[in-house]
Amino acid sequence: MLDLNFDPFPIIETDRLILRRTESEDARDYFALRSSPEAMKHICKPLHKSIDDTIKMIDNINEMISTNEGISWAVCFKSDHKMIGSVSFHRIEKEHYRAEIGYMLHPKFWQQGIVSEAVKAIIDYGFKILNLHSIEAHIDPTNVGSEKVLQKFKFEKEAYFKENYFYDGQFLDTAVYSLLHNS
Ligand SMILES: CC(C)(COP(=O)(O)OP(=O)(O)OC[C@H]1O[C@@H](n2cnc3c(N)ncnc32)[C@H](O)[C@@H]1OP(=O)(O)O)[C@@H](O)C(=O)NCCC(=O)NCCS
């Protein structure tokens, strides 16, 4: 069974980025992401309507971290530490040494290799530091960008669930990808 402890919070640095804890001061920048129809197109969760929705979400994230149930990082450029995206292991199955990865970025910064840089760093952290055995990702099969990110890191498509997710009056499909440690 995995024994996780996110205290102190693991700050991760890459060439261009710093991955740090999400703070209440990030609410405006995070709201810009979670209220953007473009960024949320494939996420299938309600768009944030007000900053209060985002503050609640940040509280939930920090509760998840302080109880060591999961972790989410604010993605920032090192130059200004302003939140432009997030990466996470938001669901961790400790008994199976397995975590679900998530990532999103403000559309202004898409296609510059930023999510790849952040995802590479947390995959390394997940396998080397957390001692995960596998990482999974659940995506909307029409989310080409997300699929490309997963393929880049050699995730394999292992399942395709037809109409397993009910959202906004529709039954939607889900593709499940996974990556094994040392595969
Ligand atoms: C999907 C997403 C995370 C990609 O982030 P990104 O920083 O633009 O990705 P990168 O620049 O690291 O690109 C990685 C690869 O995917 C490709 N790619 C990224 N977005 C793409 C798109 N929309 N269409 C086709 N290819 C795309 C890039 O060209 C790159 O390929 P390469 O390494 O062969 O050059 C980003 O578009 C996003 O945040 N979308 C909204 C949130 C979301 O859908 N999250 C995933 C939920 S499962």
Side-chain angles (χ1 to χ4, degrees), residues 38-43 102-106 109-117 138-140 143-146 148-149 152:
E38 197 183 2
M40 293 294 290
K41 182 172 174 203
H42 299 287
I43 298 219
Y103 38 80
M104 78 180 301
L105 186 70
H106 193 289
F109 303 102
W110 286 359
Q111 303 253 36
Q112 299 172 30
I114 291 171
V115 163
S116 295
E117 196 169 317
H138 293 214
I139 73 165
D140 167 355
N143 191 348
V144 178
S146 185
K148 293 267 183 216
V149 169
K152 186 167 180 160

PDB file of all heavy atoms in Angstrom, residues 38-43 102-106 109-117 138-140 143-146 148-149 152, ligand 1:
ATOM      1  N   GLU A  38     -13.555  27.167 -24.252  1.00  0.00           N
ATOM      2  CA  GLU A  38     -12.534  26.529 -25.090  1.00  0.00           C
ATOM      3  C   GLU A  38     -11.704  25.529 -24.264  1.00  0.00           C
ATOM      4  O   GLU A  38     -11.516  24.377 -24.662  1.00  0.00           O
ATOM      5  CB  GLU A  38     -11.630  27.627 -25.664  1.00  0.00           C
ATOM      6  CG  GLU A  38     -10.806  27.186 -26.840  1.00  0.00           C
ATOM      7  CD  GLU A  38      -9.874  28.291 -27.323  1.00  0.00           C
ATOM      8  OE1 GLU A  38      -9.834  29.384 -26.726  1.00  0.00           O
ATOM      9  OE2 GLU A  38      -9.153  28.022 -28.299  1.00  0.00           O
ATOM     10  N   ALA A  39     -11.243  25.977 -23.106  1.00  0.00           N
ATOM     11  CA  ALA A  39     -10.405  25.103 -22.265  1.00  0.00           C
ATOM     12  C   ALA A  39     -11.216  23.945 -21.684  1.00  0.00           C
ATOM     13  O   ALA A  39     -10.698  22.859 -21.459  1.00  0.00           O
ATOM     14  CB  ALA A  39      -9.759  25.909 -21.147  1.00  0.00           C
ATOM     15  N   MET A  40     -12.521  24.173 -21.448  1.00  0.00           N
ATOM     16  CA  MET A  40     -13.359  23.173 -20.770  1.00  0.00           C
ATOM     17  C   MET A  40     -14.099  22.269 -21.746  1.00  0.00           C
ATOM     18  O   MET A  40     -14.827  21.372 -21.318  1.00  0.00           O
ATOM     19  CB  MET A  40     -14.375  23.883 -19.860  1.00  0.00           C
ATOM     20  CG  MET A  40     -13.764  24.610 -18.677  1.00  0.00           C
ATOM     21  SD  MET A  40     -12.984  23.484 -17.499  1.00  0.00           S
ATOM     22  CE  MET A  40     -14.423  22.678 -16.804  1.00  0.00           C
ATOM     23  N   LYS A  41     -13.884  22.508 -23.065  1.00  0.00           N
ATOM     24  CA  LYS A  41     -14.685  21.808 -24.080  1.00  0.00           C
ATOM     25  C   LYS A  41     -14.749  20.289 -23.853  1.00  0.00           C
ATOM     26  O   LYS A  41     -15.797  19.677 -24.019  1.00  0.00           O
ATOM     27  CB  LYS A  41     -14.098  22.116 -25.465  1.00  0.00           C
ATOM     28  CG  LYS A  41     -14.859  21.503 -26.584  1.00  0.00           C
ATOM     29  CD  LYS A  41     -14.380  21.979 -27.920  1.00  0.00           C
ATOM     30  CE  LYS A  41     -15.095  21.195 -29.003  1.00  0.00           C
ATOM     31  NZ  LYS A  41     -14.356  21.182 -30.257  1.00  0.00           N
ATOM     32  N   HIS A  42     -13.617  19.672 -23.497  1.00  0.00           N
ATOM     33  CA  HIS A  42     -13.591  18.206 -23.365  1.00  0.00           C
ATOM     34  C   HIS A  42     -13.572  17.744 -21.912  1.00  0.00           C
ATOM     35  O   HIS A  42     -13.318  16.581 -21.635  1.00  0.00           O
ATOM     36  CB  HIS A  42     -12.355  17.645 -24.072  1.00  0.00           C
ATOM     37  CG  HIS A  42     -12.338  17.936 -25.532  1.00  0.00           C
ATOM     38  ND1 HIS A  42     -13.155  17.295 -26.432  1.00  0.00           N
ATOM     39  CD2 HIS A  42     -11.608  18.811 -26.268  1.00  0.00           C
ATOM     40  CE1 HIS A  42     -12.927  17.756 -27.646  1.00  0.00           C
ATOM     41  NE2 HIS A  42     -11.988  18.675 -27.575  1.00  0.00           N
ATOM     42  N   ILE A  43     -13.782  18.652 -20.987  1.00  0.00           N
ATOM     43  CA  ILE A  43     -13.652  18.259 -19.568  1.00  0.00           C
ATOM     44  C   ILE A  43     -14.987  17.785 -18.977  1.00  0.00           C
ATOM     45  O   ILE A  43     -15.010  16.979 -18.059  1.00  0.00           O
ATOM     46  CB  ILE A  43     -12.998  19.402 -18.749  1.00  0.00           C
ATOM     47  CG1 ILE A  43     -11.593  19.602 -19.338  1.00  0.00           C
ATOM     48  CG2 ILE A  43     -12.983  19.093 -17.256  1.00  0.00           C
ATOM     49  CD1 ILE A  43     -10.479  19.881 -18.433  1.00  0.00           C
ATOM     50  N   GLY A 102      -4.264  14.290 -14.633  1.00  0.00           N
ATOM     51  CA  GLY A 102      -5.095  15.303 -15.280  1.00  0.00           C
ATOM     52  C   GLY A 102      -4.218  16.496 -15.627  1.00  0.00           C
ATOM     53  O   GLY A 102      -3.189  16.723 -14.986  1.00  0.00           O
ATOM     54  N   TYR A 103      -4.634  17.244 -16.657  1.00  0.00           N
ATOM     55  CA  TYR A 103      -3.847  18.426 -17.046  1.00  0.00           C
ATOM     56  C   TYR A 103      -4.724  19.381 -17.831  1.00  0.00           C
ATOM     57  O   TYR A 103      -5.616  18.959 -18.573  1.00  0.00           O
ATOM     58  CB  TYR A 103      -2.610  18.024 -17.890  1.00  0.00           C
ATOM     59  CG  TYR A 103      -2.881  16.896 -18.848  1.00  0.00           C
ATOM     60  CD1 TYR A 103      -3.515  17.116 -20.067  1.00  0.00           C
ATOM     61  CD2 TYR A 103      -2.568  15.583 -18.505  1.00  0.00           C
ATOM     62  CE1 TYR A 103      -3.793  16.070 -20.932  1.00  0.00           C
ATOM     63  CE2 TYR A 103      -2.853  14.529 -19.363  1.00  0.00           C
ATOM     64  CZ  TYR A 103      -3.457  14.783 -20.575  1.00  0.00           C
ATOM     65  OH  TYR A 103      -3.763  13.752 -21.435  1.00  0.00           O
ATOM     66  N   MET A 104      -4.493  20.647 -17.639  1.00  0.00           N
ATOM     67  CA  MET A 104      -5.139  21.655 -18.479  1.00  0.00           C
ATOM     68  C   MET A 104      -4.327  22.938 -18.464  1.00  0.00           C
ATOM     69  O   MET A 104      -3.617  23.233 -17.504  1.00  0.00           O
ATOM     70  CB  MET A 104      -6.593  21.901 -18.065  1.00  0.00           C
ATOM     71  CG  MET A 104      -6.816  22.739 -16.864  1.00  0.00           C
ATOM     72  SD  MET A 104      -8.604  22.925 -16.503  1.00  0.00           S
ATOM     73  CE  MET A 104      -9.221  23.680 -17.995  1.00  0.00           C
ATOM     74  N   LEU A 105      -4.465  23.679 -19.572  1.00  0.00           N
ATOM     75  CA  LEU A 105      -3.649  24.879 -19.769  1.00  0.00           C
ATOM     76  C   LEU A 105      -4.511  25.967 -20.396  1.00  0.00           C
ATOM     77  O   LEU A 105      -5.405  25.665 -21.198  1.00  0.00           O
ATOM     78  CB  LEU A 105      -2.496  24.501 -20.726  1.00  0.00           C
ATOM     79  CG  LEU A 105      -1.418  25.531 -20.984  1.00  0.00           C
ATOM     80  CD1 LEU A 105      -0.560  25.725 -19.728  1.00  0.00           C
ATOM     81  CD2 LEU A 105      -0.514  25.072 -22.136  1.00  0.00           C
ATOM     82  N   HIS A 106      -4.214  27.202 -20.069  1.00  0.00           N
ATOM     83  CA  HIS A 106      -4.936  28.319 -20.701  1.00  0.00           C
ATOM     84  C   HIS A 106      -4.667  28.303 -22.211  1.00  0.00           C
ATOM     85  O   HIS A 106      -3.508  28.157 -22.638  1.00  0.00           O
ATOM     86  CB  HIS A 106      -4.459  29.645 -20.092  1.00  0.00           C
ATOM     87  CG  HIS A 106      -5.368  30.770 -20.452  1.00  0.00           C
ATOM     88  ND1 HIS A 106      -5.440  31.293 -21.721  1.00  0.00           N
ATOM     89  CD2 HIS A 106      -6.289  31.432 -19.716  1.00  0.00           C
ATOM     90  CE1 HIS A 106      -6.347  32.245 -21.756  1.00  0.00           C
ATOM     91  NE2 HIS A 106      -6.894  32.347 -20.547  1.00  0.00           N
ATOM     92  N   PHE A 109      -1.637  29.538 -24.267  1.00  0.00           N
ATOM     93  CA  PHE A 109      -0.303  28.916 -24.212  1.00  0.00           C
ATOM     94  C   PHE A 109      -0.256  27.533 -24.859  1.00  0.00           C
ATOM     95  O   PHE A 109       0.739  26.830 -24.737  1.00  0.00           O
ATOM     96  CB  PHE A 109       0.150  28.830 -22.740  1.00  0.00           C
ATOM     97  CG  PHE A 109       0.175  30.163 -22.056  1.00  0.00           C
ATOM     98  CD1 PHE A 109      -0.848  30.541 -21.187  1.00  0.00           C
ATOM     99  CD2 PHE A 109       1.205  31.057 -22.305  1.00  0.00           C
ATOM    100  CE1 PHE A 109      -0.843  31.788 -20.577  1.00  0.00           C
ATOM    101  CE2 PHE A 109       1.224  32.310 -21.694  1.00  0.00           C
ATOM    102  CZ  PHE A 109       0.194  32.671 -20.823  1.00  0.00           C
ATOM    103  N   TRP A 110      -1.340  27.154 -25.542  1.00  0.00           N
ATOM    104  CA  TRP A 110      -1.375  25.828 -26.156  1.00  0.00           C
ATOM    105  C   TRP A 110      -0.302  25.686 -27.237  1.00  0.00           C
ATOM    106  O   TRP A 110       0.102  26.667 -27.865  1.00  0.00           O
ATOM    107  CB  TRP A 110      -2.760  25.561 -26.785  1.00  0.00           C
ATOM    108  CG  TRP A 110      -3.845  25.282 -25.769  1.00  0.00           C
ATOM    109  CD1 TRP A 110      -3.709  25.229 -24.413  1.00  0.00           C
ATOM    110  CD2 TRP A 110      -5.230  25.039 -26.036  1.00  0.00           C
ATOM    111  NE1 TRP A 110      -4.923  24.959 -23.823  1.00  0.00           N
ATOM    112  CE2 TRP A 110      -5.876  24.838 -24.795  1.00  0.00           C
ATOM    113  CE3 TRP A 110      -5.998  24.966 -27.197  1.00  0.00           C
ATOM    114  CZ2 TRP A 110      -7.247  24.574 -24.690  1.00  0.00           C
ATOM    115  CZ3 TRP A 110      -7.360  24.702 -27.098  1.00  0.00           C
ATOM    116  CH2 TRP A 110      -7.975  24.508 -25.853  1.00  0.00           C
ATOM    117  N   GLN A 111       0.088  24.451 -27.472  1.00  0.00           N
ATOM    118  CA  GLN A 111       1.003  24.058 -28.555  1.00  0.00           C
ATOM    119  C   GLN A 111       2.381  24.705 -28.435  1.00  0.00           C
ATOM    120  O   GLN A 111       3.004  25.038 -29.416  1.00  0.00           O
ATOM    121  CB  GLN A 111       0.380  24.410 -29.926  1.00  0.00           C
ATOM    122  CG  GLN A 111      -0.976  23.764 -30.139  1.00  0.00           C
ATOM    123  CD  GLN A 111      -0.938  22.611 -31.131  1.00  0.00           C
ATOM    124  OE1 GLN A 111       0.029  21.865 -31.176  1.00  0.00           O
ATOM    125  NE2 GLN A 111      -1.987  22.450 -31.891  1.00  0.00           N
ATOM    126  N   GLN A 112       2.827  24.886 -27.212  1.00  0.00           N
ATOM    127  CA  GLN A 112       4.196  25.375 -26.985  1.00  0.00           C
ATOM    128  C   GLN A 112       4.986  24.361 -26.147  1.00  0.00           C
ATOM    129  O   GLN A 112       5.986  24.712 -25.535  1.00  0.00           O
ATOM    130  CB  GLN A 112       4.165  26.721 -26.265  1.00  0.00           C
ATOM    131  CG  GLN A 112       3.453  27.820 -27.050  1.00  0.00           C
ATOM    132  CD  GLN A 112       3.261  29.091 -26.227  1.00  0.00           C
ATOM    133  OE1 GLN A 112       4.055  29.408 -25.346  1.00  0.00           O
ATOM    134  NE2 GLN A 112       2.208  29.818 -26.522  1.00  0.00           N
ATOM    135  N   GLY A 113       4.454  23.154 -26.051  1.00  0.00           N
ATOM    136  CA  GLY A 113       5.164  22.112 -25.301  1.00  0.00           C
ATOM    137  C   GLY A 113       5.076  22.261 -23.795  1.00  0.00           C
ATOM    138  O   GLY A 113       5.803  21.585 -23.052  1.00  0.00           O
ATOM    139  N   ILE A 114       4.186  23.121 -23.319  1.00  0.00           N
ATOM    140  CA  ILE A 114       4.145  23.396 -21.869  1.00  0.00           C
ATOM    141  C   ILE A 114       3.562  22.220 -21.094  1.00  0.00           C
ATOM    142  O   ILE A 114       4.145  21.768 -20.096  1.00  0.00           O
ATOM    143  CB  ILE A 114       3.378  24.706 -21.598  1.00  0.00           C
ATOM    144  CG1 ILE A 114       4.219  25.864 -22.128  1.00  0.00           C
ATOM    145  CG2 ILE A 114       3.097  24.881 -20.100  1.00  0.00           C
ATOM    146  CD1 ILE A 114       3.534  27.185 -22.140  1.00  0.00           C
ATOM    147  N   VAL A 115       2.422  21.698 -21.562  1.00  0.00           N
ATOM    148  CA  VAL A 115       1.838  20.561 -20.837  1.00  0.00           C
ATOM    149  C   VAL A 115       2.790  19.361 -20.918  1.00  0.00           C
ATOM    150  O   VAL A 115       2.990  18.663 -19.922  1.00  0.00           O
ATOM    151  CB  VAL A 115       0.408  20.254 -21.337  1.00  0.00           C
ATOM    152  CG1 VAL A 115      -0.033  18.855 -20.907  1.00  0.00           C
ATOM    153  CG2 VAL A 115      -0.555  21.290 -20.776  1.00  0.00           C
ATOM    154  N   SER A 116       3.420  19.166 -22.068  1.00  0.00           N
ATOM    155  CA  SER A 116       4.386  18.047 -22.157  1.00  0.00           C
ATOM    156  C   SER A 116       5.471  18.202 -21.102  1.00  0.00           C
ATOM    157  O   SER A 116       5.860  17.217 -20.457  1.00  0.00           O
ATOM    158  CB  SER A 116       5.042  18.015 -23.537  1.00  0.00           C
ATOM    159  OG  SER A 116       4.084  17.741 -24.505  1.00  0.00           O
ATOM    160  N   GLU A 117       5.965  19.416 -20.944  1.00  0.00           N
ATOM    161  CA  GLU A 117       7.048  19.650 -19.967  1.00  0.00           C
ATOM    162  C   GLU A 117       6.565  19.353 -18.534  1.00  0.00           C
ATOM    163  O   GLU A 117       7.268  18.725 -17.748  1.00  0.00           O
ATOM    164  CB  GLU A 117       7.500  21.115 -20.091  1.00  0.00           C
ATOM    165  CG  GLU A 117       8.818  21.411 -19.451  1.00  0.00           C
ATOM    166  CD  GLU A 117       9.342  22.805 -19.844  1.00  0.00           C
ATOM    167  OE1 GLU A 117       9.264  23.203 -21.041  1.00  0.00           O
ATOM    168  OE2 GLU A 117       9.836  23.513 -18.944  1.00  0.00           O
ATOM    169  N   HIS A 138      -8.196   9.318 -18.302  1.00  0.00           N
ATOM    170  CA  HIS A 138      -9.523   9.127 -18.896  1.00  0.00           C
ATOM    171  C   HIS A 138      -9.784  10.339 -19.774  1.00  0.00           C
ATOM    172  O   HIS A 138      -9.771  11.463 -19.280  1.00  0.00           O
ATOM    173  CB  HIS A 138     -10.607   9.092 -17.807  1.00  0.00           C
ATOM    174  CG  HIS A 138     -10.501   7.900 -16.915  1.00  0.00           C
ATOM    175  ND1 HIS A 138     -11.601   7.272 -16.368  1.00  0.00           N
ATOM    176  CD2 HIS A 138      -9.437   7.192 -16.482  1.00  0.00           C
ATOM    177  CE1 HIS A 138     -11.210   6.245 -15.642  1.00  0.00           C
ATOM    178  NE2 HIS A 138      -9.898   6.185 -15.678  1.00  0.00           N
ATOM    179  N   ILE A 139     -10.028  10.101 -21.050  1.00  0.00           N
ATOM    180  CA  ILE A 139     -10.230  11.266 -21.919  1.00  0.00           C
ATOM    181  C   ILE A 139     -11.474  11.123 -22.793  1.00  0.00           C
ATOM    182  O   ILE A 139     -11.922  10.016 -23.095  1.00  0.00           O
ATOM    183  CB  ILE A 139      -8.992  11.567 -22.804  1.00  0.00           C
ATOM    184  CG1 ILE A 139      -8.830  10.540 -23.926  1.00  0.00           C
ATOM    185  CG2 ILE A 139      -7.713  11.649 -21.972  1.00  0.00           C
ATOM    186  CD1 ILE A 139      -7.872  10.998 -25.012  1.00  0.00           C
ATOM    187  N   ASP A 140     -11.972  12.279 -23.188  1.00  0.00           N
ATOM    188  CA  ASP A 140     -12.996  12.340 -24.229  1.00  0.00           C
ATOM    189  C   ASP A 140     -12.279  11.913 -25.516  1.00  0.00           C
ATOM    190  O   ASP A 140     -11.267  12.523 -25.896  1.00  0.00           O
ATOM    191  CB  ASP A 140     -13.485  13.801 -24.296  1.00  0.00           C
ATOM    192  CG  ASP A 140     -14.313  14.099 -25.518  1.00  0.00           C
ATOM    193  OD1 ASP A 140     -14.461  13.230 -26.403  1.00  0.00           O
ATOM    194  OD2 ASP A 140     -14.806  15.243 -25.599  1.00  0.00           O
ATOM    195  N   ASN A 143     -10.837  14.363 -27.965  1.00  0.00           N
ATOM    196  CA  ASN A 143      -9.857  15.356 -27.491  1.00  0.00           C
ATOM    197  C   ASN A 143      -8.471  15.016 -28.064  1.00  0.00           C
ATOM    198  O   ASN A 143      -7.632  14.376 -27.424  1.00  0.00           O
ATOM    199  CB  ASN A 143      -9.819  15.353 -25.960  1.00  0.00           C
ATOM    200  CG  ASN A 143      -9.046  16.524 -25.393  1.00  0.00           C
ATOM    201  OD1 ASN A 143      -8.344  17.216 -26.125  1.00  0.00           O
ATOM    202  ND2 ASN A 143      -9.162  16.733 -24.087  1.00  0.00           N
ATOM    203  N   VAL A 144      -8.273  15.478 -29.305  1.00  0.00           N
ATOM    204  CA  VAL A 144      -7.062  15.107 -30.051  1.00  0.00           C
ATOM    205  C   VAL A 144      -5.795  15.582 -29.337  1.00  0.00           C
ATOM    206  O   VAL A 144      -4.798  14.856 -29.251  1.00  0.00           O
ATOM    207  CB  VAL A 144      -7.119  15.718 -31.485  1.00  0.00           C
ATOM    208  CG1 VAL A 144      -5.860  15.393 -32.262  1.00  0.00           C
ATOM    209  CG2 VAL A 144      -8.338  15.225 -32.213  1.00  0.00           C
ATOM    210  N   GLY A 145      -5.821  16.799 -28.799  1.00  0.00           N
ATOM    211  CA  GLY A 145      -4.635  17.342 -28.121  1.00  0.00           C
ATOM    212  C   GLY A 145      -4.243  16.481 -26.927  1.00  0.00           C
ATOM    213  O   GLY A 145      -3.063  16.164 -26.732  1.00  0.00           O
ATOM    214  N   SER A 146      -5.231  16.082 -26.139  1.00  0.00           N
ATOM    215  CA  SER A 146      -4.951  15.279 -24.955  1.00  0.00           C
ATOM    216  C   SER A 146      -4.409  13.900 -25.361  1.00  0.00           C
ATOM    217  O   SER A 146      -3.465  13.378 -24.757  1.00  0.00           O
ATOM    218  CB  SER A 146      -6.236  15.126 -24.135  1.00  0.00           C
ATOM    219  OG  SER A 146      -5.966  14.452 -22.952  1.00  0.00           O
ATOM    220  N   LYS A 148      -2.729  13.224 -28.015  1.00  0.00           N
ATOM    221  CA  LYS A 148      -1.337  13.409 -28.485  1.00  0.00           C
ATOM    222  C   LYS A 148      -0.378  13.472 -27.308  1.00  0.00           C
ATOM    223  O   LYS A 148       0.727  12.927 -27.369  1.00  0.00           O
ATOM    224  CB  LYS A 148      -1.197  14.711 -29.288  1.00  0.00           C
ATOM    225  CG  LYS A 148      -1.935  14.700 -30.580  1.00  0.00           C
ATOM    226  CD  LYS A 148      -1.025  14.245 -31.709  1.00  0.00           C
ATOM    227  CE  LYS A 148      -1.776  14.325 -33.020  1.00  0.00           C
ATOM    228  NZ  LYS A 148      -1.496  13.320 -33.979  1.00  0.00           N
ATOM    229  N   VAL A 149      -0.778  14.180 -26.253  1.00  0.00           N
ATOM    230  CA  VAL A 149       0.084  14.283 -25.066  1.00  0.00           C
ATOM    231  C   VAL A 149       0.346  12.873 -24.521  1.00  0.00           C
ATOM    232  O   VAL A 149       1.480  12.492 -24.243  1.00  0.00           O
ATOM    233  CB  VAL A 149      -0.565  15.179 -23.980  1.00  0.00           C
ATOM    234  CG1 VAL A 149       0.190  15.078 -22.671  1.00  0.00           C
ATOM    235  CG2 VAL A 149      -0.648  16.631 -24.446  1.00  0.00           C
ATOM    236  N   LYS A 152       2.578  10.787 -26.733  1.00  0.00           N
ATOM    237  CA  LYS A 152       3.965  11.257 -26.658  1.00  0.00           C
ATOM    238  C   LYS A 152       4.722  10.560 -25.514  1.00  0.00           C
ATOM    239  O   LYS A 152       5.908  10.292 -25.621  1.00  0.00           O
ATOM    240  CB  LYS A 152       3.919  12.769 -26.427  1.00  0.00           C
ATOM    241  CG  LYS A 152       5.239  13.442 -26.466  1.00  0.00           C
ATOM    242  CD  LYS A 152       5.052  14.939 -26.552  1.00  0.00           C
ATOM    243  CE  LYS A 152       6.423  15.571 -26.583  1.00  0.00           C
ATOM    244  NZ  LYS A 152       6.399  16.898 -27.123  1.00  0.00           N
TER     245      LYS A 152
HETATM  246  C1  LIG B   1      -4.708  19.103 -24.431  1.00  0.00           C
HETATM  247  C2  LIG B   1      -3.762  20.150 -23.848  1.00  0.00           C
HETATM  248  C3  LIG B   1      -3.518  19.801 -22.411  1.00  0.00           C
HETATM  249  C4  LIG B   1      -2.426  20.126 -24.632  1.00  0.00           C
HETATM  250  O1  LIG B   1      -1.533  21.045 -24.020  1.00  0.00           O
HETATM  251  P1  LIG B   1      -0.346  21.723 -24.824  1.00  0.00           P
HETATM  252  O2  LIG B   1       0.575  22.412 -23.875  1.00  0.00           O
HETATM  253  O3  LIG B   1      -0.903  22.510 -25.944  1.00  0.00           O
HETATM  254  O4  LIG B   1       0.389  20.438 -25.397  1.00  0.00           O
HETATM  255  P2  LIG B   1       1.875  20.385 -25.960  1.00  0.00           P
HETATM  256  O5  LIG B   1       2.224  21.699 -26.591  1.00  0.00           O
HETATM  257  O6  LIG B   1       2.767  19.852 -24.906  1.00  0.00           O
HETATM  258  O7  LIG B   1       1.709  19.314 -27.125  1.00  0.00           O
HETATM  259  C5  LIG B   1       2.027  17.930 -27.027  1.00  0.00           C
HETATM  260  C6  LIG B   1       1.819  17.303 -28.394  1.00  0.00           C
HETATM  261  O8  LIG B   1       0.436  17.313 -28.728  1.00  0.00           O
HETATM  262  C7  LIG B   1       0.203  18.035 -29.926  1.00  0.00           C
HETATM  263  N1  LIG B   1      -1.051  18.776 -29.750  1.00  0.00           N
HETATM  264  C8  LIG B   1      -1.408  19.556 -28.695  1.00  0.00           C
HETATM  265  N2  LIG B   1      -2.642  20.058 -28.897  1.00  0.00           N
HETATM  266  C9  LIG B   1      -3.064  19.577 -30.086  1.00  0.00           C
HETATM  267  C10 LIG B   1      -4.264  19.733 -30.829  1.00  0.00           C
HETATM  268  N3  LIG B   1      -5.282  20.476 -30.376  1.00  0.00           N
HETATM  269  N4  LIG B   1      -4.368  19.089 -32.011  1.00  0.00           N
HETATM  270  C11 LIG B   1      -3.351  18.297 -32.481  1.00  0.00           C
HETATM  271  N5  LIG B   1      -2.181  18.107 -31.800  1.00  0.00           N
HETATM  272  C12 LIG B   1      -2.060  18.748 -30.631  1.00  0.00           C
HETATM  273  C13 LIG B   1       1.384  18.954 -30.068  1.00  0.00           C
HETATM  274  O9  LIG B   1       1.605  19.327 -31.403  1.00  0.00           O
HETATM  275  C14 LIG B   1       2.496  18.091 -29.503  1.00  0.00           C
HETATM  276  O10 LIG B   1       2.910  17.151 -30.459  1.00  0.00           O
HETATM  277  P3  LIG B   1       4.488  16.932 -30.756  1.00  0.00           P
HETATM  278  O11 LIG B   1       5.146  16.696 -29.431  1.00  0.00           O
HETATM  279  O12 LIG B   1       4.505  15.770 -31.671  1.00  0.00           O
HETATM  280  O13 LIG B   1       4.942  18.207 -31.365  1.00  0.00           O
HETATM  281  C15 LIG B   1      -4.378  21.571 -23.957  1.00  0.00           C
HETATM  282  O14 LIG B   1      -4.864  21.742 -25.252  1.00  0.00           O
HETATM  283  C16 LIG B   1      -5.490  21.826 -22.960  1.00  0.00           C
HETATM  284  O15 LIG B   1      -5.250  22.284 -21.854  1.00  0.00           O
HETATM  285  N6  LIG B   1      -6.757  21.558 -23.366  1.00  0.00           N
HETATM  286  C17 LIG B   1      -7.913  21.845 -22.503  1.00  0.00           C
HETATM  287  C18 LIG B   1      -7.979  20.976 -21.281  1.00  0.00           C
HETATM  288  C19 LIG B   1      -8.011  19.509 -21.612  1.00  0.00           C
HETATM  289  O16 LIG B   1      -8.678  19.082 -22.551  1.00  0.00           O
HETATM  290  N7  LIG B   1      -7.280  18.729 -20.810  1.00  0.00           N
HETATM  291  C20 LIG B   1      -7.206  17.302 -20.950  1.00  0.00           C
HETATM  292  C21 LIG B   1      -8.370  16.668 -20.259  1.00  0.00           C
HETATM  293  S1  LIG B   1      -8.248  14.890 -20.393  1.00  0.00           S
END
